[in-house]
Each structure stands twice: as structure tokens, then as C-alpha cells.
Amino acid sequence: MFKVKTYNKISEKGLSRFNGGDYQVGADLEAPEAYILRSHKLHAEAIPESLLAVARAGAGVNNLPVEDYTAKGIVAFNTPGANANAVKELVLAGMLLASRDIIGGRDFANAQTQITDAADMGKLMEAEKKRFAGNELTGKTLGIVGLGAIGSMVADMALAMGMKVAGFDPALSVEAAWRLPALVERKENLQGLLACSDYVTIHVPAIEPTKNMFNSDSLAAAKDGLVLLNFAREAIVDTSAVLAALESGKLRKYVCDFPEPAVINRSDVIALPHIGASTAEAEENCAMMAANQLRDFLEHGNIVNSVNFPVTTMGPVEGYRLTFSNQNVSGVLGNVLSIFKELDVNVIDMVNKSRGDLAYSIIDLAEMPTAEVIAAVQAVEHVIRVRVVAAK
């Protein structure tokens, strides 16, 4: 039986993926093999020796000590794309709020509590509505920074609304490129994107290369009156540079999902309380995807959507399966296979993948590996962790 420890409130649709007979799930489990969580920060928590995998029900993993997990052979999963539609729809809402003074108009209407006659209120609204005039999105250019699961959906939406779309992504994968609509104009750098866009929306992860990606230098290239939308992470934007750009008129509006004191109560800032993925559907999708990935790993050793391990999969376990992770140096797999030959272990099938400094192997064996075999593999230089997965 596998123990899965939960943090935060996880959707029941996700937790129901863990079969009651094979899994024990709860917030107070000792020696768990897996964690499933949302935004709980784990950096300060001790890592139990039993832990094999951690699944974050969401895209960002800055709340996980990923490097520490990698060093211990613990797989860290996320759920890219599971909340993409929720974020896409909020991007649309953000653009509409920035282009039409919907909030100002609502506040003005709600403030007219002294008027009791409907006809009088109607006359006032007609007289004052020009104060809240805006502009349409159709025909404007939306720049998208990051063309992955969310960015490609935002591009589809914008094109359907009659907008022009430009995109910039220095790390665009082949899979993401296939998803991208053909009408998206690819830009070679951020400055080129900013210079041609009326709106720019950010959909890249918060990693060292993207920290303060939007700063005084990059924003200097922006088209005057740009609306900047940040539903990714706060670290990607230098807030002081954004405020300076708002003061100068380089930026017309800043829409963000990460309020901080410097941007509160500004008429040119729309700050929301980190609600990009806060829909019932997104929380369910993320939880189900995280649970499915944990199950596939715990039961079969397969890895998909890990942020630290390579994608590595084989079919269902037919007999006995041994997996191991190792530092990605030459000779490790050969040394393991030599042990199998020496100890008369019959290999049925295998797959070996690498990612950066880490490698991972799945090997199907004809018989259950003995304690001697497992200990010998674990003792191979550069091997991090060895695990045996048996067929049900």
C-alpha cells in the first residue's frame, strides 16, 4: 500500500483517483511515499527517507525544493496545461477591464445612492457615460511572451476575437510549436515584441533567466500606451520599472495577479489576488492530473511532466520492474547491466533517458531481483536511488 500525504485542500475528484485498497491518503501520514499539494511551501520541511515523488497541482514549482529532491532521487511533478483555460479566460477579462473603464463605470453607478428616481438616474448615466469610454480589442495586437500550453490558448482566443497576435519564446519546444496557430507572428526577441504590441501578456515560468525580464531596459522598447498583463509570476516583472513606465505614459495599464503595496489603489493598475487558476474546473483538472501522474510513477515507474526527471515510460509491468536514477555520467548503465550478467538476471526490456545532469532507467526483469541484486545496483558509483516495482 502506498501512502500519499496531502497539503492544502485537494479536489476530491483528484483524490478519488487513489484506489482505497492500494492507497492511504491523508494530511497526517507518517513515512509517505508521495506528496500531493497546491501552494504549500515545502522548503523548510524535512524530507522523509520514504519519499519517492511530489506532485504539485499547478504549473509553478517555486514552493518545492526541487534541487534537494533531485539529489535524493525524488521525482517532482507539475501539471502544465491543466489550468490553462482558467488563466486564458482571466487574461481576456484583464484585457477587457484595461481597455474599457468597466470598474470605474460600476463604481460611479454604485455611488449615486442619493438618486431615488429611475428616470433621473438614467439621464445622469447618459450624460456621464462618456467619462468611461474605452477602445475595442479587435484589430489591436496582442504580444504573448511564452508560447506553451497557456500562451497557445491565449493566441487562439485573441485571433478568434479579431486581434493580431505576435509571440516570443526563447525556449519554444517542438510540441508547443505544433500547437501554435499559424497566424501568430514569431518575434526573435522581447524588445521586438514590445515595440509592435498594444497588449502584452506573460506566460513564462519564474526561473533565473526570466527574473526581472520586464525591466527599465526592456520596457523602454515598448510601444507608447502598452497594456502589460502578468498572470505568470511576480518575479518576472520589476515593479519599480513598471511604476516608472506608468508615470511616463510608456505603459497605460498594468494588470497583475500579484498585488504588492506599491501598486495598490492606483487607477492605472488592476491588481487581482492571485486568482488565475482559481476556478473549480482548474482545481479539479490539476488535482486529477497530479494524481494520475503519481499513480503511474508509483505503480509503473513511469515519469511524465516532471520538472527534474526526464520523460521515461514503458508499458504495464508484466513481471518485475527495477528503476534507478543516477548522475548522468558515462558507464553507469553498463555497470548495472554487468551486474545483471554476473548475477544471472534476465532483462526482458528496458529504457534509459537523461535530462541534464540526471539519468533514469526502467528495466523489466524475468524474476524478482534479490536483495543482493538490489544492493549491488545501489552500490554502483553515481547511482542515486533504486526501486523495485512489482506487477499487481
Side-chain angles (χ1 to χ4, degrees):
M1 177 179 290
F2 295 111
K3 295 180 182 179
V4 179
K5 185 173 182 177
T6 62
Y7 292 87
N8 311 118
K9 181 175 174 56
I10 305 297
S11 165
E12 285 300 322
K13 283 195 174 181
L15 296 183
S16 68
R17 300 286 171 136
F18 297 113
N19 184 293
D22 297 321
Y23 290 89
Q24 185 179 355
V25 181
D28 300 312
L29 299 179
E30 297 292 330
E33 283 85 10
Y35 293 161
I36 184 169
L37 73 157
R38 292 170 60 194
S39 57
H40 182 84
K41 291 179 172 57
L42 290 172
H43 290 276
E45 298 199 13
I47 301 173
E49 289 299 318
S50 60
L51 191 64
L52 300 172
V54 176
R56 156 83 163 100
V61 292
N62 54 333
N63 57 323
L64 308 183
V66 176
E67 289 187 7
D68 295 340
Y69 290 162
T70 304
K72 291 178 174 290
I74 297 168
V75 184
F77 294 99
N78 68 344
T79 57
N83 60 11
N85 190 70
V87 178
K88 176 202 79 175
E89 291 184 1
L90 196 60
V91 170
L92 173 58
M95 288 196 294
L96 291 170
L97 291 172
S99 61
R100 308 281 295 272
D101 192 7
I102 297 168
I103 295 174
R106 180 209 59 183
D107 291 346
F108 172 76
N110 284 341
Q112 309 311 310
T113 55
Q114 78 284 0
I115 301 176
T116 58
D117 183 78
D120 289 344
M121 183 168 284
K123 290 177 183 177
L124 178 65
M125 297 301 137
E126 284 299 315
E128 298 296 331
K129 68 181 182 181
K130 58 183 177 294
R131 292 168 48 185
F132 310 104
N135 48 312
E136 299 178 12
L137 298 178
T138 299
K140 304 301 188 299
T141 297
L142 173 63
I144 303 174
V145 180
L147 298 168
I150 297 173
S152 61
M153 291 182 72
V154 171
D156 277 326
M157 173 194 71
L159 290 168
M161 294 186 65
M163 299 185 79
K164 301 171 186 175
V165 179
F168 167 66
D169 191 334
L172 185 65
S173 67
V174 173
E175 181 183 358
W178 277 107
R179 285 198 304 262
L180 200 60
L183 291 174
V184 174
E185 180 185 358
R186 291 277 305 281
K187 293 293 182 180
E188 296 300 320
N189 53 59
L190 179 60
Q191 286 77 5
L193 183 84
L194 289 167
C196 75
S197 300
D198 301 295
Y199 299 80
V200 166
T201 181
I202 307 168
H203 302 290
V204 292
I207 55 178
E208 195 58 36
T210 64
K211 185 177 181 180
N212 288 335
M213 185 180 193
F214 287 80
N215 52 46
S216 55
D217 290 337
S218 58
L219 289 173
K223 183 177 180 180
D224 289 345
L226 174 71
V227 173
L228 180 63
L229 302 103
N230 180 14
F231 291 100
R233 282 290 183 271
E234 61 269 41
I236 300 167
V237 172
D238 180 348
T239 303
S240 61
V242 165
L243 292 174
L246 287 168
E247 293 293 340
S248 71
K250 178 62 71 172
L251 290 183
R252 179 165 61 87
K253 292 274 189 180
Y254 178 50
V255 185
C256 70
D257 212 15
F258 313 98
E260 54 184 292
V263 303
I264 295 300
N265 289 324
R266 289 184 61 107
S267 61
D268 50 8
V269 174
I270 300 171
L272 304 174
H274 201 182
I275 59 174
S278 294
T279 67
E281 294 88 350
E283 290 177 8
E284 289 174 356
N285 290 341
C286 287
M288 289 188 291
M289 188 171 179
N292 287 340
Q293 290 168 178
L294 280 179
R295 281 195 58 177
D296 199 20
F297 174 71
L298 293 173
E299 296 175 22
H300 305 294
N302 291 331
I303 297 176
V304 177
N305 289 330
S306 169
V307 298
N308 59 341
F309 272 64
V311 175
T312 317
T313 63
M314 283 179 59
V317 183
E318 298 295 340
Y320 303 93
R321 180 167 288 179
L322 183 144
T323 72
F324 68 91
S325 56
N326 61 276
Q327 297 168 4
N328 188 21
V329 297
S330 62
V332 176
L333 180 60
N335 289 337
V336 170
L337 294 177
S338 295
I339 289 171
F340 290 162
K341 181 178 180 180
E342 179 182 341
L343 298 178
D344 197 27
V345 176
N346 184 24
V347 174
I348 298 173
D349 199 2
M350 65 172 291
V351 61
N352 169 265
K353 298 289 183 179
S354 63
R355 176 177 180 175
D357 296 330
L358 188 72
Y360 179 70
S361 298
I362 302 174
I363 304 177
D364 279 358
L365 307 173
E367 298 178 352
M368 171 69 84
T370 64
E372 180 187 10
V373 170
I374 297 168
V377 174
Q378 185 68 68
V380 171
E381 187 178 9
H382 304 297
V383 166
I384 300 170
R385 190 161 199 162
V386 180
R387 179 171 167 246
V388 174
V389 183
K392 288 186 179 181

